[in-house]
Amino acid sequence: MAGQRPRIGILTGGGDCPGLNAVIRAVVKASFMRGWDAVGFLNPAQTMELDYKAMGYLLVQGGTILGTSNRGRFAAKTGAGEVHRIPDEILREAKANVDGMGLLGLVCVGGDGSLTIAQQLFEAGVPVVGVPKTIDNDLEATVMTFGFDSAVCCATDALDRLHTTAESHSRVMVLEVMGRHAGWIAISAGISGGGDVILIPEIPFSWEKVCEAVARREKAGKRFTLVVAAEGAKPAGGSLVGRSGGADREMRLGGIGALAAAEIEKRIGKETRVCVLGHLQRGGGPTSFDRLLCTRFGTRAVQLIADKQFGRMVALKPPDTVSVPITEAIGRLKRVTVDGELVGTARALGISFGD
Ligand code: F6P
């Protein structure tokens, strides 16, 4: 590759999330400042040159210009925590590809699944660095993933809106938010948006206790109640609500909100409606907090490549960004601590977890 400027690669994997483009922009601009070029992987076989001059609007643009997928031959997770090893021949192909392109390093932006792949690529000799992404905030080894704040702001805004209609109609409103294994979005938005009942995967609940909380409010003269349910919440002894995601895919969660609404109406006769926030909380641009976090993560990822610190992931450890081995982030999830400060804050306000 004589005469060519040094180049690095970047790819985005897993479910999309606000801020992916902001990370791409930061990586491309920080590379340019070092005299490097950057190339984006649209898929393992297709790339696009990333021109630093075209990066401006990416700071605010949702989604990822590189596209992303949580299925296919590079999927490392298939639900219930099982990790599939990427076949050696595919790993060898990927390494040959990166070597052939003369890349100094490859920035892998993703959550637990994509970073599991990144680690396998690293072990196969690919010079990888990771950037932690997921709206669910359930990745270990970083205080926060990017995209989480944007999702929480979206859910909080939804609660503000549901609040006024719930109060006007004296209804129970149930908001179902994402959060497959961890209830970070539900508890954070629930507290910020004035929720009364918060159902999270970490705390099995009972319908009796949920209804008791609604009835208690009625008795106190509060004729409306806001319930926030993470999609992965389930009653003690009950099962997750959703349907099969198809072969080699995690279960597609959804429906706990509708179930909660039906149970509340059936058990105490209180008029109840449900709103499923769904992919609205994953779409759109990042909040200013996430723009800043993505920019810090992206620039640090480039620094890691410059320092040849491969196999590491950037992470937030306030007040700084740091780096940790990717292995510290994958294979286990960061969940809401049941007796932690956040749950304690909610309980101190009288918020019920239905337990
Ligand atoms: O990645 C996390 C997540 O947001 C989960 O909370 C949710 O279950 C899942 O993505 C939905 O993914 P998909 O868009 O593939 O249905």
Side-chain angles (χ1 to χ4, degrees):
M1 297 278 156
Q4 232 188 36
R5 279 155 59 93
R7 288 207 296 176
I8 67 162
I10 179 166
L11 60 83
T12 53
D16 78 333
C17 152
L20 282 163
N21 281 328
V23 173
I24 294 170
R25 169 186 178 269
V27 165
V28 173
K29 291 192 96 160
S31 298
F32 176 79
M33 293 304 291
R34 290 176 183 273
W36 303 349
D37 286 335
V39 60
F41 283 82
L42 301 167
N43 57 52
Q46 205 186 349
T47 59
M48 76 188 260
E49 294 300 323
L50 295 168
D51 178 1
Y52 90 98
K53 292 195 258 8
M55 294 294 123
Y57 184 64
L58 287 194
L59 186 57
V60 301
Q61 188 179 321
T64 162
I65 56 165
L66 298 176
T68 190
S69 168
N70 44 15
R71 64 186 313 172
R73 64 178 194 160
F74 271 87
K77 307 274 276 207
T78 55
E82 312 109 56
V83 176
H84 278 196
R85 254 210 86 71
I86 307 296
D88 283 347
E89 95 232 29
I90 295 181
L91 292 172
R92 272 199 299 273
E93 208 184 295
K95 171 157 169 46
N97 215 356
V98 169
D99 288 349
M101 293 172 73
L103 299 182
L104 295 179
L106 178 65
V107 182
C108 295
V109 189
D112 190 44
S114 308
L115 291 172
T116 299
I117 297 167
Q119 176 62 22
Q120 292 179 25
L121 287 170
F122 172 63
E123 287 165 12
V126 180
V128 157
V129 301
V131 177
K133 165 239 71 163
T134 164
I135 63 164
D136 289 3
N137 195 37
D138 57 4
L139 203 61
E140 270 292 355
T142 182
V143 164
M144 213 183 272
T145 53
F146 75 83
F148 170 64
D149 183 67
S150 303
V152 170
C153 285
C154 177
T156 303
D157 180 55
L159 279 171
D160 290 345
R161 290 164 188 273
L162 293 175
H163 197 145
T164 60
T165 177
E167 190 159 18
S168 304
H169 284 268
S170 300
R171 282 174 173 159
V172 177
M173 295 292 316
V174 181
L175 177 68
E176 180 180 307
V177 298
M178 284 187 177
R180 175 171 285 273
H181 306 287
W184 294 108
I185 298 177
I187 192 168
S188 305
I191 295 173
S192 308
D196 307 298
V197 179
I198 301 175
L199 306 178
I200 58 176
E202 294 86 345
I203 305 181
F205 62 89
S206 80
W207 295 119
E208 291 76 25
K209 294 286 181 189
V210 170
C211 291
E212 259 174 49
V214 177
R216 230 181 1 256
R217 281 179 57 80
E218 289 283 316
K219 225 166 140 198
K222 300 275 192 185
R223 306 227 36 247
F224 72 98
T225 296
L226 291 178
V227 179
V228 188
E231 61 182 0
K234 57 179 184 193
S239 28
L240 288 170
V241 185
R243 59 194 163 102
S244 156
D248 281 350
R249 291 211 71 181
E250 288 190 307
M251 186 176 173
R252 201 186 296 177
L253 298 183
I256 186 68
L259 187 61
E263 287 288 338
I264 292 166
E265 277 200 348
K266 185 176 83 188
R267 288 167 184 261
I268 55 172
K270 180 84 187 164
E271 195 178 18
T272 306
R273 296 286 189 270
V274 61
C275 169
V276 180
L277 198 52
H279 290 78
L280 285 174
Q281 72 208 282
R282 231 168 70 182
T287 56
S288 54
F289 178 91
D290 271 334
R291 289 183 207 182
L292 180 58
L293 187 60
C294 290
T295 305
R296 295 169 76 193
F297 278 172
T299 53
R300 185 165 263 274
V302 172
Q303 180 70 51
L304 285 182
I305 292 177
D307 295 343
K308 296 190 171 28
Q309 294 284 302
F310 302 119
R312 299 184 73 81
M313 179 189 89
V314 301
L316 180 65
K317 191 173 176 210
D320 298 314
T321 57
V322 296
S323 80
V324 295
I326 294 176
T327 47
E328 280 185 17
I330 58 177
R332 59 213 150 102
L333 292 171
K334 182 181 70 191
R335 306 182 84 210
V336 175
T337 316
V338 170
D339 53 4
E341 189 261 351
L342 215 45
V343 171
T345 299
R347 290 201 197 274
L349 295 175
I351 293 173
S352 165
F353 289 89
D355 58 340

